Amino acid sequence: MDGPRVVPARRHGRDWLHVRLPDGRNIAWYDREAARVNLLDAEHEEEVLAALGPYLTGPVAVGPPPVPTPADLARLSLHPDDDLAPNRPGEALLVDLDRAPGPARRLRPDPRPAELAAQRTVGGTLDAMDGAGWHALHSLPLPGGHRVHHLLIGPGGLYALHVRAAHRQRVTVAEPQVRIGRRPPEPLLHRVRADADRAAHALTAEVRPVLVLAGARRVTVAAVPRGVRILTDADVPGLGRGGGVLKPADVEALYAAARDRRTWAGL
């Protein structure tokens, strides 16, 4: 092959197409989501566009790579052990189940698989918002063993989501108690607010608490809880429709801080 070749790759959750010369030198890449061809060598622009022709859809911007923002530089300098972005939804539960799967037979069913499924469902919904200017982080560790199940950062602000499995069950919310099915009521709203308050302290920004009752058949709220949004998993996409709170640069700066494990260590 005499001309440039196209090599697919995936970086930072995005699909890229690299354009390389026969000697292996990278001369450009096409970021599908940004609809931009980033040229590393302007002399090869015509060859690059010819090679990418079958892959381009609609209008695309062509030019040198954008200058990294402070948030980009912070992300690139972050040690892999301190980067929380790779955490999967329900990461803590996955580790716990691997270490202690529990007996095959028990008097009561193990609640952990259902809670893991609920966190995965909500986490998948949040991850799907990434292309609309939002970022989601999962299973953020707090001192004392607690976790922020999901943190959503975007144009509409910051949300700390606490998820509980409630598959086909009725839920009653009466400040501060939450009763799921036939389980005893728990003062769950205290926990949801406390986790959001700790996240706000760590990030020095307002973080709104959200309780997500995944799969609930019916949710009855006796009185509107103070400062806590009560949602089902079907309602979660609505969080991504808000805007006008944070500028893109602020979103990226907060995301860079939130994904750093050291941000949470001093709480």
Side-chain angles (χ1 to χ4, degrees):
M1 182 182 294
D2 296 331
R5 61 193 180 98
V6 177
V7 179
R10 187 168 179 81
R11 293 189 62 188
H12 310 310
R14 288 185 162 187
D15 292 318
W16 288 3
L17 294 176
H18 289 278
V19 182
R20 295 176 181 169
L21 293 175
D23 62 6
R25 183 160 56 97
N26 195 32
I27 56 173
W29 75 87
Y30 171 39
D31 185 337
R32 292 178 183 270
E33 290 187 22
R36 180 180 177 85
V37 177
N38 297 282
L39 292 170
L40 297 175
D41 189 338
E43 294 182 2
H44 293 280
E45 180 175 348
E46 291 186 7
E47 295 174 85
V48 166
L49 295 179
L52 289 173
Y55 306 95
L56 301 179
T57 55
V60 296
V62 181
V67 176
T69 65
D72 293 330
L73 297 175
R75 182 183 68 244
L76 294 171
S77 65
L78 192 60
H79 191 280
D81 290 343
D82 292 324
D83 191 357
L84 298 172
N87 279 9
R88 298 162 292 179
E91 184 78 32
L93 284 170
L94 283 165
V95 173
D96 190 42
L97 284 166
D98 282 343
R99 290 177 177 172
R105 296 181 180 179
R106 49 192 300 164
L107 294 176
R108 295 181 179 179
D110 187 343
R112 294 176 298 173
E115 296 296 341
L116 175 59
Q119 291 189 37
R120 281 175 163 170
T121 296
V122 174
T125 299
L126 297 176
D127 286 339
M129 298 181 192
D130 186 73
W134 293 82
H135 296 295
L137 293 166
H138 311 290
S139 197
L140 300 176
L142 299 173
H146 284 187
R147 297 262 174 168
V148 174
H149 291 170
H150 310 284
L151 183 69
L152 182 65
I153 307 171
L158 292 86
Y159 298 93
L161 288 78
H162 186 89
V163 179
R164 282 298 175 92
H167 181 59
R168 300 179 66 181
Q169 297 183 79
R170 296 181 179 182
V171 181
T172 302
V173 180
E175 175 81 45
Q177 305 286 341
V178 177
R179 181 168 186 168
I180 301 174
R182 297 181 179 179
R183 301 180 221 170
E186 301 176 70
L188 195 52
L189 298 182
H190 287 332
R191 165 77 183 276
V192 176
R193 277 191 286 261
D195 288 351
D197 287 345
R198 296 176 80 181
H201 178 72
L203 298 169
T204 62
E206 180 184 9
V207 179
R208 303 173 195 177
V210 180
L211 174 62
V212 182
L213 301 161
R217 182 172 61 178
R218 182 192 299 173
V219 178
T220 301
V221 180
V224 178
R226 176 178 55 83
V228 180
R229 294 183 68 170
I230 309 294
L231 306 177
T232 67
D233 52 302
D235 301 323
V236 170
L239 294 175
R241 301 189 187 107
V245 176
L246 295 176
K247 298 177 181 178
D250 296 329
V251 171
E252 295 302 322
L254 285 164
Y255 176 59
R259 67 187 294 177
D260 189 339
R261 184 183 300 274
R262 295 166 296 182
T263 298
W264 308 94
L267 293 176

mmCIF file of all heavy atoms in Angstrom, residues 7-20 26-34 38 40 65-66 68 72-73 75-78 83 85-86 130-131 135 255 259:
data_model
loop_
_atom_site.group_PDB
_atom_site.id
_atom_site.type_symbol
_atom_site.label_atom_id
_atom_site.label_comp_id
_atom_site.label_asym_id
_atom_site.label_seq_id
_atom_site.Cartn_x
_atom_site.Cartn_y
_atom_site.Cartn_z
ATOM 1 N N VAL A 7 -6.711 3.524 10.492
ATOM 2 C CA VAL A 7 -6.654 2.539 11.586
ATOM 3 C C VAL A 7 -7.637 2.973 12.675
ATOM 4 O O VAL A 7 -7.478 4.057 13.244
ATOM 5 C CB VAL A 7 -5.234 2.432 12.171
ATOM 6 C CG1 VAL A 7 -5.203 1.415 13.315
ATOM 7 C CG2 VAL A 7 -4.226 2.076 11.087
ATOM 8 N N PRO A 8 -8.649 2.174 12.975
ATOM 9 C CA PRO A 8 -9.606 2.551 14.037
ATOM 10 C C PRO A 8 -8.979 2.416 15.422
ATOM 11 O O PRO A 8 -8.107 1.577 15.656
ATOM 12 C CB PRO A 8 -10.754 1.561 13.848
ATOM 13 C CG PRO A 8 -10.126 0.374 13.191
ATOM 14 C CD PRO A 8 -9.008 0.902 12.335
ATOM 15 N N ALA A 9 -9.427 3.269 16.342
ATOM 16 C CA ALA A 9 -8.948 3.231 17.728
ATOM 17 C C ALA A 9 -10.041 3.814 18.614
ATOM 18 O O ALA A 9 -10.983 4.446 18.129
ATOM 19 C CB ALA A 9 -7.645 4.015 17.880
ATOM 20 N N ARG A 10 -9.896 3.598 19.909
ATOM 21 C CA ARG A 10 -10.860 4.157 20.880
ATOM 22 C C ARG A 10 -10.074 4.768 22.015
ATOM 23 O O ARG A 10 -9.264 4.092 22.655
ATOM 24 C CB ARG A 10 -11.808 3.081 21.395
ATOM 25 C CG ARG A 10 -12.928 3.634 22.271
ATOM 26 C CD ARG A 10 -14.000 2.601 22.510
ATOM 27 N NE ARG A 10 -15.062 3.082 23.366
ATOM 28 C CZ ARG A 10 -16.066 3.836 22.972
ATOM 29 N NH1 ARG A 10 -16.145 4.206 21.709
ATOM 30 N NH2 ARG A 10 -17.004 4.245 23.819
ATOM 31 N N ARG A 11 -10.301 6.060 22.293
ATOM 32 C CA ARG A 11 -9.597 6.770 23.357
ATOM 33 C C ARG A 11 -10.580 7.644 24.122
ATOM 34 O O ARG A 11 -11.426 8.312 23.532
ATOM 35 C CB ARG A 11 -8.478 7.652 22.785
ATOM 36 C CG ARG A 11 -7.332 6.882 22.151
ATOM 37 C CD ARG A 11 -6.195 7.814 21.810
ATOM 38 N NE ARG A 11 -5.652 8.455 22.995
ATOM 39 C CZ ARG A 11 -4.736 9.435 22.959
ATOM 40 N NH1 ARG A 11 -4.298 9.873 21.794
ATOM 41 N NH2 ARG A 11 -4.288 9.967 24.078
ATOM 42 N N HIS A 12 -10.435 7.618 25.463
ATOM 43 C CA HIS A 12 -11.280 8.445 26.327
ATOM 44 C C HIS A 12 -12.768 8.238 26.028
ATOM 45 O O HIS A 12 -13.568 9.165 26.085
ATOM 46 C CB HIS A 12 -10.926 9.931 26.181
ATOM 47 C CG HIS A 12 -9.460 10.216 26.311
ATOM 48 N ND1 HIS A 12 -8.694 9.742 27.364
ATOM 49 C CD2 HIS A 12 -8.608 10.918 25.518
ATOM 50 C CE1 HIS A 12 -7.439 10.156 27.214
ATOM 51 N NE2 HIS A 12 -7.373 10.860 26.105
ATOM 52 N N GLY A 13 -13.135 6.983 25.677
ATOM 53 C CA GLY A 13 -14.536 6.687 25.410
ATOM 54 C C GLY A 13 -15.023 7.138 24.046
ATOM 55 O O GLY A 13 -16.222 7.089 23.778
ATOM 56 N N ARG A 14 -14.104 7.559 23.164
ATOM 57 C CA ARG A 14 -14.513 8.040 21.847
ATOM 58 C C ARG A 14 -13.893 7.173 20.755
ATOM 59 O O ARG A 14 -12.788 6.656 20.913
ATOM 60 C CB ARG A 14 -14.069 9.488 21.629
ATOM 61 C CG ARG A 14 -14.863 10.501 22.457
ATOM 62 C CD ARG A 14 -14.448 11.898 22.094
ATOM 63 N NE ARG A 14 -15.413 12.889 22.514
ATOM 64 C CZ ARG A 14 -15.358 14.164 22.209
ATOM 65 N NH1 ARG A 14 -14.383 14.620 21.449
ATOM 66 N NH2 ARG A 14 -16.280 15.014 22.635
ATOM 67 N N ASP A 15 -14.624 7.046 19.631
ATOM 68 C CA ASP A 15 -14.116 6.314 18.477
ATOM 69 C C ASP A 15 -13.346 7.262 17.574
ATOM 70 O O ASP A 15 -13.883 8.276 17.118
ATOM 71 C CB ASP A 15 -15.275 5.690 17.695
ATOM 72 C CG ASP A 15 -15.960 4.584 18.476
ATOM 73 O OD1 ASP A 15 -15.226 3.794 19.090
ATOM 74 O OD2 ASP A 15 -17.189 4.513 18.472
ATOM 75 N N TRP A 16 -12.075 6.939 17.339
ATOM 76 C CA TRP A 16 -11.208 7.730 16.462
ATOM 77 C C TRP A 16 -10.756 6.876 15.296
ATOM 78 O O TRP A 16 -10.673 5.645 15.394
ATOM 79 C CB TRP A 16 -9.968 8.225 17.208
ATOM 80 C CG TRP A 16 -10.235 9.320 18.198
ATOM 81 C CD1 TRP A 16 -11.427 9.871 18.538
ATOM 82 C CD2 TRP A 16 -9.247 9.991 19.003
ATOM 83 N NE1 TRP A 16 -11.262 10.846 19.491
ATOM 84 C CE2 TRP A 16 -9.937 10.944 19.802
ATOM 85 C CE3 TRP A 16 -7.874 9.889 19.139
ATOM 86 C CZ2 TRP A 16 -9.283 11.780 20.691
ATOM 87 C CZ3 TRP A 16 -7.219 10.718 20.028
ATOM 88 C CH2 TRP A 16 -7.913 11.655 20.804
ATOM 89 N N LEU A 17 -10.462 7.538 14.186
ATOM 90 C CA LEU A 17 -9.830 6.889 13.038
ATOM 91 C C LEU A 17 -8.495 7.579 12.794
ATOM 92 O O LEU A 17 -8.448 8.763 12.442
ATOM 93 C CB LEU A 17 -10.725 7.001 11.797
ATOM 94 C CG LEU A 17 -12.057 6.245 11.854
ATOM 95 C CD1 LEU A 17 -12.880 6.539 10.603
ATOM 96 C CD2 LEU A 17 -11.812 4.749 11.981
ATOM 97 N N HIS A 18 -7.411 6.854 13.014
ATOM 98 C CA HIS A 18 -6.076 7.400 12.762
ATOM 99 C C HIS A 18 -5.713 7.215 11.289
ATOM 100 O O HIS A 18 -6.089 6.221 10.660
ATOM 101 C CB HIS A 18 -5.031 6.681 13.618
ATOM 102 C CG HIS A 18 -5.117 7.021 15.077
ATOM 103 N ND1 HIS A 18 -4.552 8.149 15.611
ATOM 104 C CD2 HIS A 18 -5.712 6.380 16.109
ATOM 105 C CE1 HIS A 18 -4.777 8.190 16.903
ATOM 106 N NE2 HIS A 18 -5.494 7.131 17.238
ATOM 107 N N VAL A 19 -4.994 8.180 10.761
ATOM 108 C CA VAL A 19 -4.482 8.082 9.391
ATOM 109 C C VAL A 19 -2.966 8.015 9.482
ATOM 110 O O VAL A 19 -2.326 8.921 10.035
ATOM 111 C CB VAL A 19 -4.926 9.282 8.533
ATOM 112 C CG1 VAL A 19 -4.409 9.117 7.105
ATOM 113 C CG2 VAL A 19 -6.442 9.415 8.537
ATOM 114 N N ARG A 20 -2.389 6.937 8.930
ATOM 115 C CA ARG A 20 -0.957 6.706 9.049
ATOM 116 C C ARG A 20 -0.325 6.511 7.681
ATOM 117 O O ARG A 20 -0.932 5.933 6.772
ATOM 118 C CB ARG A 20 -0.672 5.475 9.921
ATOM 119 C CG ARG A 20 -1.108 5.662 11.377
ATOM 120 C CD ARG A 20 -0.910 4.413 12.188
ATOM 121 N NE ARG A 20 -1.352 4.604 13.567
ATOM 122 C CZ ARG A 20 -1.492 3.639 14.462
ATOM 123 N NH1 ARG A 20 -1.241 2.387 14.101
ATOM 124 N NH2 ARG A 20 -1.875 3.914 15.692
ATOM 125 N N ASN A 26 1.914 8.651 12.236
ATOM 126 C CA ASN A 26 0.542 9.146 12.348
ATOM 127 C C ASN A 26 0.491 10.587 11.848
ATOM 128 O O ASN A 26 1.240 11.448 12.328
ATOM 129 C CB ASN A 26 0.092 9.063 13.805
ATOM 130 C CG ASN A 26 -1.406 9.211 13.954
ATOM 131 O OD1 ASN A 26 -2.159 8.809 13.078
ATOM 132 N ND2 ASN A 26 -1.833 9.766 15.064
ATOM 133 N N ILE A 27 -0.379 10.887 10.894
ATOM 134 C CA ILE A 27 -0.441 12.244 10.339
ATOM 135 C C ILE A 27 -1.781 12.939 10.618
ATOM 136 O O ILE A 27 -1.911 14.140 10.385
ATOM 137 C CB ILE A 27 -0.161 12.246 8.822
ATOM 138 C CG1 ILE A 27 -1.125 11.306 8.084
ATOM 139 C CG2 ILE A 27 1.282 11.876 8.545
ATOM 140 C CD1 ILE A 27 -1.006 11.384 6.564
ATOM 141 N N ALA A 28 -2.768 12.196 11.132
ATOM 142 C CA ALA A 28 -4.069 12.811 11.424
ATOM 143 C C ALA A 28 -4.934 11.808 12.171
ATOM 144 O O ALA A 28 -4.643 10.610 12.205
ATOM 145 C CB ALA A 28 -4.770 13.247 10.135
ATOM 146 N N TRP A 29 -6.005 12.334 12.792
ATOM 147 C CA TRP A 29 -7.047 11.443 13.305
ATOM 148 C C TRP A 29 -8.396 12.133 13.169
ATOM 149 O O TRP A 29 -8.497 13.338 13.208
ATOM 150 C CB TRP A 29 -6.772 11.011 14.742
ATOM 151 C CG TRP A 29 -7.023 12.044 15.813
ATOM 152 C CD1 TRP A 29 -8.193 12.311 16.466
ATOM 153 C CD2 TRP A 29 -6.065 12.957 16.355
ATOM 154 N NE1 TRP A 29 -8.033 13.304 17.379
ATOM 155 C CE2 TRP A 29 -6.730 13.733 17.345
ATOM 156 C CE3 TRP A 29 -4.699 13.194 16.126
ATOM 157 C CZ2 TRP A 29 -6.091 14.719 18.074
ATOM 158 C CZ3 TRP A 29 -4.064 14.176 16.856
ATOM 159 C CH2 TRP A 29 -4.751 14.929 17.815
ATOM 160 N N TYR A 30 -9.403 11.291 12.986
ATOM 161 C CA TYR A 30 -10.776 11.767 12.821
ATOM 162 C C TYR A 30 -11.561 11.409 14.075
ATOM 163 O O TYR A 30 -11.707 10.236 14.429
ATOM 164 C CB TYR A 30 -11.393 11.111 11.589
ATOM 165 C CG TYR A 30 -12.881 11.343 11.396
ATOM 166 C CD1 TYR A 30 -13.476 12.575 11.665
ATOM 167 C CD2 TYR A 30 -13.704 10.309 10.933
ATOM 168 C CE1 TYR A 30 -14.831 12.776 11.479
ATOM 169 C CE2 TYR A 30 -15.069 10.510 10.731
ATOM 170 C CZ TYR A 30 -15.627 11.736 11.015
ATOM 171 O OH TYR A 30 -16.980 11.932 10.839
ATOM 172 N N ASP A 31 -12.038 12.436 14.761
ATOM 173 C CA ASP A 31 -12.869 12.263 15.954
ATOM 174 C C ASP A 31 -14.320 12.304 15.496
ATOM 175 O O ASP A 31 -14.844 13.357 15.145
ATOM 176 C CB ASP A 31 -12.572 13.392 16.952
ATOM 177 C CG ASP A 31 -13.304 13.224 18.268
ATOM 178 O OD1 ASP A 31 -14.339 12.532 18.289
ATOM 179 O OD2 ASP A 31 -12.855 13.792 19.279
ATOM 180 N N ARG A 32 -14.972 11.141 15.510
ATOM 181 C CA ARG A 32 -16.337 11.045 14.975
ATOM 182 C C ARG A 32 -17.307 11.942 15.746
ATOM 183 O O ARG A 32 -18.126 12.649 15.157
ATOM 184 C CB ARG A 32 -16.833 9.601 15.037
ATOM 185 C CG ARG A 32 -16.124 8.629 14.100
ATOM 186 C CD ARG A 32 -16.692 7.228 14.314
ATOM 187 N NE ARG A 32 -16.017 6.214 13.511
ATOM 188 C CZ ARG A 32 -16.384 5.854 12.295
ATOM 189 N NH1 ARG A 32 -17.400 6.461 11.731
ATOM 190 N NH2 ARG A 32 -15.730 4.915 11.640
ATOM 191 N N GLU A 33 -17.248 11.888 17.084
ATOM 192 C CA GLU A 33 -18.219 12.631 17.893
ATOM 193 C C GLU A 33 -18.049 14.136 17.717
ATOM 194 O O GLU A 33 -19.020 14.886 17.685
ATOM 195 C CB GLU A 33 -18.085 12.248 19.359
ATOM 196 C CG GLU A 33 -18.550 10.831 19.663
ATOM 197 C CD GLU A 33 -18.566 10.548 21.144
ATOM 198 O OE1 GLU A 33 -18.625 11.504 21.932
ATOM 199 O OE2 GLU A 33 -18.510 9.365 21.524
ATOM 200 N N ALA A 34 -16.804 14.594 17.614
ATOM 201 C CA ALA A 34 -16.550 16.024 17.443
ATOM 202 C C ALA A 34 -16.680 16.465 15.990
ATOM 203 O O ALA A 34 -16.663 17.663 15.707
ATOM 204 C CB ALA A 34 -15.153 16.371 17.959
ATOM 205 N N ASN A 38 -8.277 16.103 12.762
ATOM 206 C CA ASN A 38 -7.134 16.796 13.361
ATOM 207 C C ASN A 38 -5.867 16.452 12.585
ATOM 208 O O ASN A 38 -5.442 15.295 12.565
ATOM 209 C CB ASN A 38 -6.983 16.370 14.824
ATOM 210 C CG ASN A 38 -8.189 16.755 15.669
ATOM 211 O OD1 ASN A 38 -8.344 17.899 16.057
ATOM 212 N ND2 ASN A 38 -9.056 15.780 15.922
ATOM 213 N N LEU A 40 -1.934 16.546 11.861
ATOM 214 C CA LEU A 40 -0.623 16.730 12.472
ATOM 215 C C LEU A 40 0.390 17.248 11.465
ATOM 216 O O LEU A 40 1.436 17.761 11.846
ATOM 217 C CB LEU A 40 -0.128 15.404 13.071
ATOM 218 C CG LEU A 40 -0.991 14.843 14.213
ATOM 219 C CD1 LEU A 40 -0.462 13.483 14.639
ATOM 220 C CD2 LEU A 40 -1.018 15.803 15.383
ATOM 221 N N PRO A 65 -4.777 19.981 15.754
ATOM 222 C CA PRO A 65 -5.452 19.596 17.002
ATOM 223 C C PRO A 65 -5.661 20.805 17.898
ATOM 224 O O PRO A 65 -4.828 21.721 17.941
ATOM 225 C CB PRO A 65 -4.461 18.609 17.646
ATOM 226 C CG PRO A 65 -3.608 18.133 16.525
ATOM 227 C CD PRO A 65 -3.510 19.267 15.558
ATOM 228 N N PRO A 66 -6.793 20.862 18.629
ATOM 229 C CA PRO A 66 -7.043 21.987 19.528
ATOM 230 C C PRO A 66 -6.027 22.023 20.662
ATOM 231 O O PRO A 66 -5.504 20.993 21.084
ATOM 232 C CB PRO A 66 -8.459 21.719 20.051
ATOM 233 C CG PRO A 66 -8.671 20.255 19.852
ATOM 234 C CD PRO A 66 -7.894 19.882 18.629
ATOM 235 N N PRO A 68 -4.699 21.914 24.269
ATOM 236 C CA PRO A 68 -5.264 21.285 25.468
ATOM 237 C C PRO A 68 -5.711 22.323 26.490
ATOM 238 O O PRO A 68 -5.047 23.334 26.718
ATOM 239 C CB PRO A 68 -4.091 20.451 26.014
ATOM 240 C CG PRO A 68 -3.175 20.262 24.864
ATOM 241 C CD PRO A 68 -3.308 21.491 24.023
ATOM 242 N N ASP A 72 -7.692 19.130 30.385
ATOM 243 C CA ASP A 72 -7.014 18.086 29.614
ATOM 244 C C ASP A 72 -5.637 17.794 30.186
ATOM 245 O O ASP A 72 -5.237 16.628 30.325
ATOM 246 C CB ASP A 72 -6.866 18.510 28.148
ATOM 247 C CG ASP A 72 -8.194 18.613 27.429
ATOM 248 O OD1 ASP A 72 -9.115 17.866 27.796
ATOM 249 O OD2 ASP A 72 -8.302 19.450 26.519
ATOM 250 N N LEU A 73 -4.901 18.855 30.510
ATOM 251 C CA LEU A 73 -3.560 18.674 31.053
ATOM 252 C C LEU A 73 -3.594 17.978 32.403
ATOM 253 O O LEU A 73 -2.745 17.121 32.699
ATOM 254 C CB LEU A 73 -2.861 20.033 31.171
ATOM 255 C CG LEU A 73 -2.618 20.765 29.843
ATOM 256 C CD1 LEU A 73 -2.042 22.153 30.106
ATOM 257 C CD2 LEU A 73 -1.676 19.963 28.945
ATOM 258 N N ARG A 75 -5.860 15.852 33.386
ATOM 259 C CA ARG A 75 -6.194 14.452 33.155
ATOM 260 C C ARG A 75 -4.975 13.674 32.674
ATOM 261 O O ARG A 75 -4.709 12.553 33.124
ATOM 262 C CB ARG A 75 -7.321 14.355 32.132
ATOM 263 C CG ARG A 75 -7.767 12.928 31.863
ATOM 264 C CD ARG A 75 -8.843 12.850 30.796
ATOM 265 N NE ARG A 75 -8.302 13.213 29.502
ATOM 266 C CZ ARG A 75 -8.682 14.277 28.807
ATOM 267 N NH1 ARG A 75 -9.584 15.090 29.295
ATOM 268 N NH2 ARG A 75 -8.166 14.530 27.631
ATOM 269 N N LEU A 76 -4.213 14.261 31.776
ATOM 270 C CA LEU A 76 -3.047 13.578 31.229
ATOM 271 C C LEU A 76 -1.962 13.358 32.274
ATOM 272 O O LEU A 76 -1.178 12.422 32.178
ATOM 273 C CB LEU A 76 -2.488 14.377 30.034
ATOM 274 C CG LEU A 76 -3.396 14.448 28.801
ATOM 275 C CD1 LEU A 76 -2.844 15.443 27.793
ATOM 276 C CD2 LEU A 76 -3.548 13.070 28.171
ATOM 277 N N SER A 77 -1.911 14.245 33.276
ATOM 278 C CA SER A 77 -0.878 14.119 34.301
ATOM 279 C C SER A 77 -1.305 13.225 35.454
ATOM 280 O O SER A 77 -0.518 12.963 36.361
ATOM 281 C CB SER A 77 -0.516 15.510 34.849
ATOM 282 O OG SER A 77 -1.619 16.089 35.517
ATOM 283 N N LEU A 78 -2.533 12.724 35.437
ATOM 284 C CA LEU A 78 -3.058 11.936 36.539
ATOM 285 C C LEU A 78 -2.500 10.511 36.497
ATOM 286 O O LEU A 78 -2.522 9.855 35.452
ATOM 287 C CB LEU A 78 -4.591 11.894 36.447
ATOM 288 C CG LEU A 78 -5.370 11.370 37.638
ATOM 289 C CD1 LEU A 78 -5.086 12.219 38.874
ATOM 290 C CD2 LEU A 78 -6.859 11.385 37.337
ATOM 291 N N ASP A 83 -6.770 7.625 39.106
ATOM 292 C CA ASP A 83 -7.828 7.983 38.160
ATOM 293 C C ASP A 83 -9.065 7.109 38.413
ATOM 294 O O ASP A 83 -9.030 5.886 38.246
ATOM 295 C CB ASP A 83 -7.342 7.793 36.729
ATOM 296 C CG ASP A 83 -8.295 8.397 35.703
ATOM 297 O OD1 ASP A 83 -9.351 8.918 36.103
ATOM 298 O OD2 ASP A 83 -7.967 8.343 34.502
ATOM 299 N N ALA A 85 -11.948 7.503 36.778
ATOM 300 C CA ALA A 85 -12.814 7.444 35.595
ATOM 301 C C ALA A 85 -13.056 6.016 35.098
ATOM 302 O O ALA A 85 -14.150 5.719 34.618
ATOM 303 C CB ALA A 85 -12.245 8.308 34.481
ATOM 304 N N PRO A 86 -12.063 5.102 35.189
ATOM 305 C CA PRO A 86 -12.336 3.735 34.713
ATOM 306 C C PRO A 86 -13.272 2.925 35.610
ATOM 307 O O PRO A 86 -13.667 1.819 35.223
ATOM 308 C CB PRO A 86 -10.937 3.091 34.687
ATOM 309 C CG PRO A 86 -9.974 4.225 34.630
ATOM 310 C CD PRO A 86 -10.627 5.311 35.439
ATOM 311 N N ASP A 130 -22.758 11.132 27.700
ATOM 312 C CA ASP A 130 -21.415 11.691 27.534
ATOM 313 C C ASP A 130 -21.297 12.606 26.327
ATOM 314 O O ASP A 130 -20.650 13.637 26.386
ATOM 315 C CB ASP A 130 -20.388 10.551 27.431
ATOM 316 C CG ASP A 130 -18.957 11.057 27.408
ATOM 317 O OD1 ASP A 130 -18.462 11.486 28.451
ATOM 318 O OD2 ASP A 130 -18.344 11.050 26.318
ATOM 319 N N GLY A 131 -21.935 12.259 25.219
ATOM 320 C CA GLY A 131 -21.814 13.063 24.013
ATOM 321 C C GLY A 131 -22.545 14.387 24.061
ATOM 322 O O GLY A 131 -22.366 15.224 23.182
ATOM 323 N N HIS A 135 -20.579 14.341 31.971
ATOM 324 C CA HIS A 135 -19.637 13.296 32.360
ATOM 325 C C HIS A 135 -20.206 12.562 33.566
ATOM 326 O O HIS A 135 -20.784 13.185 34.466
ATOM 327 C CB HIS A 135 -18.278 13.882 32.741
ATOM 328 C CG HIS A 135 -17.568 14.565 31.616
ATOM 329 N ND1 HIS A 135 -17.122 13.901 30.488
ATOM 330 C CD2 HIS A 135 -17.228 15.868 31.428
ATOM 331 C CE1 HIS A 135 -16.534 14.758 29.676
ATOM 332 N NE2 HIS A 135 -16.591 15.959 30.219
ATOM 333 N N TYR A 255 -14.862 17.915 36.412
ATOM 334 C CA TYR A 255 -14.681 16.500 36.073
ATOM 335 C C TYR A 255 -13.243 16.063 36.346
ATOM 336 O O TYR A 255 -13.007 14.971 36.896
ATOM 337 C CB TYR A 255 -15.040 16.287 34.608
ATOM 338 C CG TYR A 255 -14.811 14.873 34.110
ATOM 339 C CD1 TYR A 255 -15.453 13.793 34.707
ATOM 340 C CD2 TYR A 255 -13.955 14.630 33.034
ATOM 341 C CE1 TYR A 255 -15.242 12.505 34.244
ATOM 342 C CE2 TYR A 255 -13.749 13.347 32.567
ATOM 343 C CZ TYR A 255 -14.392 12.283 33.181
ATOM 344 O OH TYR A 255 -14.183 11.011 32.716
ATOM 345 N N ARG A 259 -12.471 13.088 39.197
ATOM 346 C CA ARG A 259 -11.926 11.781 38.838
ATOM 347 C C ARG A 259 -10.620 11.475 39.555
ATOM 348 O O ARG A 259 -10.114 10.352 39.478
ATOM 349 C CB ARG A 259 -11.736 11.684 37.327
ATOM 350 C CG ARG A 259 -10.671 12.592 36.766
ATOM 351 C CD ARG A 259 -10.645 12.575 35.249
ATOM 352 N NE ARG A 259 -10.247 11.288 34.728
ATOM 353 C CZ ARG A 259 -10.193 10.997 33.426
ATOM 354 N NH1 ARG A 259 -10.545 11.915 32.535
ATOM 355 N NH2 ARG A 259 -9.799 9.805 33.006
#
